[in-house]
Amino acid sequence: MITTGATSALSFLDQLNPQQREAVETTDGPVLILAGAGSGKTRVITYRIAYLIEHMGVMPESILAMTFTNKAAAEMGERVEKLVGGLSIAKPVISTFHSFCVRVLRRDIEAMRIPSATPGQPAIGHTKNFVIYDESDMQAVVKSVMKRLGLDDKQLTPRTVLSRISWAKNHMLDPQELYLQSADPKTEKIAHLYEEYRKELRKANALDFDDLLLEAVRLLKSAPQVREYYNRRFQYLLIDEYQDTNRPQYELMRMLAGDRHNVCAVGDEDQSIYSWRGADIRNILEFEQDFPEAKIIRLEQNYRSTQNILQAASAVVANNIRRKGKNLWTSRQGGTKIGYYEAPDGENEALFAADHIAKYLRAATEHGETPRAAVLYRTNSQSRLFEEAMRRYGLKYHVVGGFSFYERSEIKDLISYLKVIQNPDDTISLLRVINTPTRGIGKGTIDTLESLALETGLSLWGALGEALRRQLLPQRALASLKSFQQLIEDGRAILLGNFAGQLGSDVAQPEGSSESVWEPPLSAVQQGETLSSTHGADSESQDATAFDPTEFENFSFDFGAAEPVGPIDIHASVPPTESPAAEPTSGSKEPEIGATPADFPAPTVSTADLLKFLIDRTGYIKLLEEEDTPEAFSRIENLRELVNAAMDSRDRAETLDQFLDHAALVADADDYDARAQITLMSLHAAKGLEFPLVFLSGLEEGLFPHSRTMLVPEDIEEERRLCYVGMTRAMDQLILTRAVYRRRYGTDLPEASVPSRFLEEVPAPLFEELGTRRGSSARTGTSYVGTGYVGTGTPARPAGRSPAAAESTHYSYEDEDQSASWHAGDGNRGNPRAAKPTTPARPYNSIENIAEFFASRGKKFSLPKMPVEEPTGKRGFRPGQRVKHPKYGEGTVYQREGEGEEAKITVQFPRFGLKKLVEKYAQLERAH
């Protein structure tokens, strides 16, 4: 029997390379296996277990292997079963950390119970039948504690409290230690809540997930007989993903190692990317300090990627200081070079990825291969542009580690607000937002409104108004409903353009109104008139002093960044929306001095402005900021990306209903396919996976590496490790991309980005430029103008673009801005602010509005004379005609709306779908 086992063991050992075999056969004493990406660490762990059982004669039940996920544990168990199946009924213990701790606590937790000082009373401490609280249970406990202590859960949310408590537990801090380390009143409050939370859990005989680790460690430390039992029981200990262990998991390992020190830790310090959830890279870096006799074995042969990909990834991570170092190599010498694409903006970056992937899928299918591609990004909010690009190309995709962009809860909340503003009778959307964020409108109040709606035949919105009119609810509920009603009515007033009069009437009220940090969409004149209504009879004399035009002789208003701009037409009105109220009438008289706000033309408000108003008035982002958790910051980025999407919609001259239609179509659940060959995911979610083709996107300073990590060297090193993880997911082809200009939250125009430092760290010979560029290399951080398709001679045609698009002037910003950013010989070449964006109305702080303001106060303010650059391009195109656009190439006119300066035309472009363009600015030519 032993001979057969030895023969079997030797047969599967022949499948290992020399370093893997050494790791398997080194069974006694502490061993640290530094397993590089794609080096077969799971095979080493499973073969090591099989070798211990078959060759060393170790009883299976005396082997303990711990990992982080149930999936990984199940995979290890299946592999071991295939290797040693049938040799023994007993099985090795292969488990996650938390599952193992539950087993230990169910058996021995009562060893920590303390006899009660009161005779006849039960012992103090948890019993074996403890319950495990999930996230909702934990929040309920914190809410009840906060209510008992009289703390406002709006200022300090339960989610924030639980996040800080979890952080303290991961660092093994009790409430007293957290209190002593506190540097602000907020942390002091959380320390008190931590203590009360712990008491409540003990009273309920309950543990949360963090407690499972902490209590198991405490049990092994405080009960010597229990620790000795497990030291005898488990002779060999294996730990997977050791670089991701936190302090309690490290202490658990030390307790279980006993005196034998038969610990095998497998990990890669270059893939430690979870410090934000408690992982401590020092555990793997300082392994030899804990076990001086430890043997270090490096697995450096990679079985996944080509040599070029490995060289590039290794060159990046080599810039880190906190690492042990490895020299990865592969038998797959050479390979495709690292692709590098500089997109003019985020939309083009996504379209390039979609086009390249579409070609790859076709080629792979023709060759009988199973194609798989992944797009990796630093933040989940980046998925929006890639999702929309995939849909443009008709490609099925799967979003991993989260919902599709428009399916995320915070996005659906804001979309529902917009739907209610557009149509208050939308009961489903109203129910979603009536108490989101929490404003004191509970289930009882909603039930009353629904009953009233049923009785009266009104919609829920109508019932809300009726309940307020008839005072059918307690005063507190009525106040909350009135606040919500006012929010929606203000939003509708903004949408309809009559917010000025409403604001004026609100300001005239002596009390009951609160000032918002959101700037209401009023012209300067309207703001001045509204404010003047609150001053006395001598307000005019005060204004005369405050607004002396001579004070502004050497003063410039802040219209944007202080950089040279081209000629601006200050008289040209921006194309109006389709609303009749917004159309200018010929011969209309200018409002006279002293006119009321209603006498002035109502400004048109974009969907982006409406979203900013809602975010401010609801306090949505402020509440998420107070949570101060990684999940909250991710949700904030998603909300800001929604505003960016609305800015794109504004540039396409879309109305609110068109924006909502677009969101509804993109969010269609029918497009979701878990078996799709394209995967979109964050870099953190990609760890452990591999794909033949990988796009690593958004390589810009502030995005990747993320802005929150810029000031801490340790955090920058983790960002670099994250880049290494992303690069080593690629098997055959890796493409790195960045956007020259990217829209940021709250900015009217996209901002120029700075190339990521990680691009500079990749050796230049490994790169292949995808698309010609004009100017010096962006990877060196040197300034340049434009990206591919612009240059002298005949530029290289990019993938997926028509010759017409390739030969045209390229845009610095491609999110539907229809004015070329530079022309031949233009002194403003490459300046994104030189072209005037297509917006539904002039900015609220525009020079025209400032001039109107002074005129309304009886002051002189002459507009500077500037040369006017007339838009180029033909006019008068009709449905069916073929046209050529400088960005989208050739297309067919599908529909025409309006005439003259206001005309909008919808064009079908083969690669870009339907585009609604303002004809005046579209720069269209007849296609030949």
Side-chain angles (χ1 to χ4, degrees), residues 350 377 380 382-392 395 397 399 403-408 666-667 680:
Y377 35 75
N380 283 317
Q382 291 171 257
S383 74
R384 177 184 70 87
L385 290 173
F386 289 102
E387 289 184 59
E388 296 191 4
M390 298 301 166
R391 283 184 166 86
R392 284 194 193 183
L395 300 173
Y397 64 90
V399 180
F403 292 102
S404 177
F405 182 79
Y406 286 98
E407 289 296 314
R408 294 166 190 165
V666 171
L680 310 181

Side-chain angles (χ1 to χ4, degrees), residues 200-432:
E200 289 298 316
L201 260 61
R202 194 178 298 124
K203 192 190 302 180
N205 194 30
L207 299 174
D208 63 20
F209 288 111
D210 293 322
D211 287 333
L212 297 177
L213 296 173
L214 286 175
E215 292 301 302
V217 170
R218 193 163 73 91
L219 171 64
L220 295 176
K221 283 184 175 180
S222 62
Q225 72 282 9
V226 175
R227 182 174 67 253
E228 289 167 8
Y229 166 78
Y230 286 105
N231 290 157
R232 290 193 305 271
R233 164 80 189 273
F234 296 116
Q235 298 176 28
Y236 291 90
L237 179 62
L238 295 90
I239 300 176
D240 188 23
E241 303 286 6
Y242 189 61
Q243 77 280 351
D244 292 330
T245 54
N246 59 19
R247 176 76 185 280
Q249 288 161 341
Y250 164 80
E251 292 290 343
L252 180 67
M253 180 272 296
R254 291 295 307 272
M255 291 292 106
L256 292 172
D259 297 327
R260 293 190 185 91
H261 289 181
N262 287 338
V263 178
C264 177
V266 184
D268 181 3
E269 80 280 11
D270 291 334
Q271 296 189 66
S272 179
I273 58 174
Y274 296 117
S275 67
W276 49 274
R277 69 183 190 196
D280 191 345
I281 193 174
R282 292 178 302 175
N283 293 348
I284 191 169
L285 294 178
E286 299 172 3
F287 188 81
E288 298 98 316
Q289 295 181 25
D290 299 321
F291 304 101
E293 74 276 26
K295 183 171 185 178
I296 311 297
I297 300 173
R298 287 174 168 82
L299 304 183
E300 297 176 319
Q301 183 176 359
N302 178 283
Y303 292 92
R304 174 188 300 152
S305 307
T306 63
Q307 187 65 29
N308 282 338
I309 293 172
L310 288 184
Q311 278 186 255
S314 298
V316 171
V317 80
N319 288 276
N320 276 357
I321 296 172
R322 303 175 76 198
R323 64 190 298 261
K324 289 181 173 292
K326 293 175 293 298
N327 294 308
L328 294 185
W329 63 277
T330 179
S331 58
R332 301 183 63 196
Q333 293 299 311
T336 305
K337 286 191 174 184
I338 310 301
Y340 175 58
Y341 179 66
E342 285 178 347
D345 55 60
E347 184 192 18
N348 181 276
E349 178 187 39
L351 289 169
F352 173 79
D355 183 82
H356 192 97
I357 290 172
K359 291 182 175 180
Y360 158 73
L361 294 179
R362 286 196 298 270
T365 303
E366 289 171 2
H367 289 86
E369 301 171 358
T370 302
R372 289 186 305 115
V375 177
L376 309 182
Y377 35 75
R378 176 62 179 83
T379 65
N380 283 317
S381 63
Q382 291 171 257
S383 74
R384 177 184 70 87
L385 290 173
F386 289 102
E387 289 184 59
E388 296 191 4
M390 298 301 166
R391 283 184 166 86
R392 284 194 193 183
Y393 276 74
L395 300 173
K396 296 280 188 180
Y397 64 90
H398 175 38
V399 180
V400 173
F403 292 102
S404 177
F405 182 79
Y406 286 98
E407 289 296 314
R408 294 166 190 165
S409 61
E410 61 275 11
I411 302 301
K412 294 185 81 169
D413 288 344
L414 268 294
I415 292 291
S416 294
Y417 268 112
L418 292 177
K419 287 180 178 179
V420 173
I421 286 173
Q422 183 196 36
N423 173 24
D425 293 326
D426 180 353
T427 298
I428 299 300
S429 297
L430 184 65
L431 284 171
R432 183 178 182 94

Side-chain angles (χ1 to χ4, degrees), residues 679-690:
T679 304
L680 310 181
M681 70 177 82
S682 71
L683 283 155
H684 284 98
K687 189 166 180 289
L689 304 177
E690 59 185 28

